[in-house]
Every structure is written in C-alpha cells, then in structure tokens.
Amino acid sequence: MSAQAHVKKPGWITNKVFNPFVAFLTRRGLSVWGSRVLAVRGRKSGEWRTTPVNLLTVDGRQYLVAPRGHVQWTHNMRAAGGGRLLLGKRVDTFTAEEVADSEKPELLRAYLKRWKAEVGVFFNGVGPDSPEEDLRRIAPNHPVFRVTIEP
C-alpha cells in the first residue's frame, strides 16, 4: 500500500473552522496546547506554505508529528530540510531531521497522550495506552521530524 493510501483528509469542520481558528490564535501569540504555525517552502513552487501544527517536546527535544500521514507539508519538509515556526511575532527558524520508524513509538505515544482528543481519529484506534506493537505498526504512516531551532 502506498504512503498516500494512509493520508487522512481533514473534515470540513477541521478545514474551515478548527484549523483557521487555531492558526488565528497562534498568529496572535496565543499557543493552543503547543500550537505553532509551520511555514515551509513548497518543493515545487518555492513559495512559503503554512499550516497549524502541534510542537511536541520529549526529553528536551522538539518534534513535529504528522497525524494525517504523508501530507503536503511532510513532502515539503523532506525537500526543504527545515522551515519556520511562528507564534505571534516570534519566528523560530529550524532545521529538521526525519525520525526513523524504530524511534517513533515513544514519540507517537507522547503525542497521543497530549493531543488524542484533537487528532486521535487519524491513528486508526491506536492511542497513548496501546501496546508498543500497535505503535510500531502505525509508525510508517506518520512522519515525525526532529526540530532543531537555529540560534
């Protein structure tokens, strides 16, 4: 099965109400549970593309997790190798390194502990209390990037 087969398209409410509302608040400096606006250059156009994301911190390291799977921002991130995280007027430029599937279970568990109510539907019944084998099974479907903020 191709990576695209695992993409979960957001519903109308998410696309038209929730994401724009979170992005609106985040652009004004109000982080909603770690929200940021991700800006990454398009791999074909070179134009800046933005989307709201949840910035996960585990053991002092920061990560971006793609709950909906291999979507446009993940393809752009692979090509660009980094981007910007926006919170109000604050702009953090970062580099990104994709995390290997074998490292993802701990990160997916932490992500689901924090945001399951918001994104749990995209993980096919796997939650923060699921067995390790379930997290390993879904790991290839959810890109994770380790973020390093540039000084």
Side-chain angles (χ1 to χ4, degrees):
M1 196 179 297
S2 76
Q4 286 293 23
H6 296 290
V7 171
K8 298 276 188 170
K9 298 283 185 188
W12 186 89
I13 294 282
T14 298
N15 254 350
K16 302 295 183 189
V17 178
F18 185 74
N19 281 352
F21 181 67
V22 169
F24 172 83
L25 292 176
T26 304
R27 283 188 183 102
R28 276 140 192 86
L30 299 172
S31 177
V32 180
W33 284 84
S35 66
R36 300 290 189 279
V37 173
L38 168 66
V40 64
R41 288 206 181 264
R43 64 194 179 283
K44 296 175 185 171
S45 69
E47 305 271 328
W48 285 101
R49 305 294 183 193
T50 61
T51 190
V53 294
N54 294 319
L55 185 62
L56 174 69
T57 302
V58 174
D59 296 332
R61 302 292 315 258
Q62 295 180 309
Y63 301 88
L64 293 174
V65 176
R68 291 182 183 90
H70 298 269
V71 293
Q72 293 301 316
W73 76 258
T74 64
H75 298 300
N76 291 338
M77 184 71 70
R78 286 184 191 107
R84 298 176 181 159
L85 290 170
L86 314 171
L87 178 59
K89 293 181 181 183
R90 180 179 173 171
V91 177
D92 289 320
T93 301
F94 69 91
T95 57
E97 174 188 359
E98 193 159 4
V99 173
D101 289 345
S102 61
E103 297 177 51
K104 290 181 189 175
E106 164 193 9
L107 301 171
L108 293 174
R109 188 179 305 283
Y111 189 84
L112 286 164
K113 276 183 183 172
R114 179 137 181 148
W115 291 290
K116 183 176 190 260
E118 180 184 332
V119 299
V121 68
F122 303 115
F123 289 87
N124 296 322
V126 176
D129 300 321
S130 294
E132 177 94 3
E133 63 204 37
D134 288 349
L135 291 161
R136 287 192 180 286
R137 177 178 47 79
I138 67 164
N141 303 336
H142 300 282
V144 177
F145 295 88
R146 186 175 296 110
V147 170
T148 303
I149 304 295
E150 296 177 354

